[in-house]
Amino acid sequence: MDAKSSATDAKPAAVDAKTAAAVAAAEAAGPSTGESVRIDSWIWSVRLVKTRSIGATACRGGHVRVNGERVKPAYAVRVGDEVRLRHEGRERVVVVKRLIRKRVGAPVAVQCYIDNSPPPPPRETVAAAGIRDRGTGRPTKRDRREMERLRGLGAGPGGPSGGGFAAQGRPGDRDPSGGRGRPNGR
């Protein structure tokens, strides 16, 4: 049993050693004393956004705030700044602990900031409407009407959506022009 316990104790230490080595490499690649890092580059480096261009677009769109103020992509972020990012329907609130320029792995990235974000909304709250079983083919007219009713788009027969007999006539009724689309049956 002692051999097993020592083997399991060594495994977390090895993982921590790898993370520590990665942190050291990230700090070495980071800015030297007195230099700064662009906000779009930093939020990409710590994996808050997938690409740097998405980070720059978020800054230009006013979705990134540093210490409560909207910032441009070239804003120089410093240690201790509070960064608020609205991305993919969620707000992330982080405090900068470390400045890095290059993208790092997730275990290293979480050590570069303090996450004060509210928890994400549960997945069950978003109901998927209109999902059909695979292989059932195209929806019929009845299926489409049912999906519209579930989504709240259609008003039903005789409503503003044009459904019902009053707007469309009965299936066997003929057009007063003789059914040819010409006036007076000509």
Side-chain angles (χ1 to χ4, degrees):
M1 277 208 158
D2 289 333
K4 284 184 182 179
S5 64
S6 65
T8 57
D9 291 341
K11 204 171 202 178
V15 171
D16 290 337
K18 284 183 182 179
T19 304
V23 168
E27 284 182 344
S32 60
T33 308
E35 289 186 37
S36 61
V37 177
R38 291 171 54 113
I39 185 67
D40 61 341
S41 178
W42 187 82
I43 61 176
W44 166 74
S45 299
V46 296
R47 297 179 166 266
L48 294 178
V49 293
K50 287 185 179 181
T51 65
R52 183 173 166 193
S53 64
I54 291 173
T57 304
C59 291
R60 279 189 232 106
H63 300 290
V64 178
R65 293 177 179 263
V66 177
N67 299 326
E69 296 182 26
R70 290 182 179 181
V71 294
K72 293 182 178 181
Y75 180 85
V77 69
R78 294 184 293 268
V79 174
D81 284 346
E82 180 190 61
V83 178
R84 289 180 175 267
L85 168 71
R86 276 186 326 197
H87 182 61
E88 295 179 350
R90 183 173 176 214
E91 183 172 22
R92 301 289 307 265
V93 181
V94 296
V95 177
V96 180
K97 272 179 34 176
R98 242 184 226 123
L99 295 178
I100 57 173
R101 281 197 182 138
K102 296 193 176 187
R103 193 162 169 100
V104 293
V108 179
V110 297
Q111 294 183 358
C112 295
Y113 59 85
I114 301 168
D115 196 358
N116 296 331
S117 303
R123 288 189 175 203
E124 292 104 29
T125 59
V126 179
I131 295 178
R132 296 175 47 84
D133 294 330
R134 188 173 175 91
T136 57
R138 289 182 57 180
T140 62
K141 193 169 195 174
R142 176 183 277 171
D143 293 338
R144 287 196 308 271
R145 286 180 178 158
E146 184 68 20
M147 286 187 284
E148 287 176 359
R149 188 183 62 76
L150 287 173
R151 291 186 194 130
L153 298 177
S161 64
F165 293 121
Q168 297 175 345
R170 283 189 245 139
D173 288 350
R174 293 195 71 185
D175 187 4
S177 64
R180 296 186 194 98
R182 287 182 251 148
N184 300 329
R186 292 185 200 177

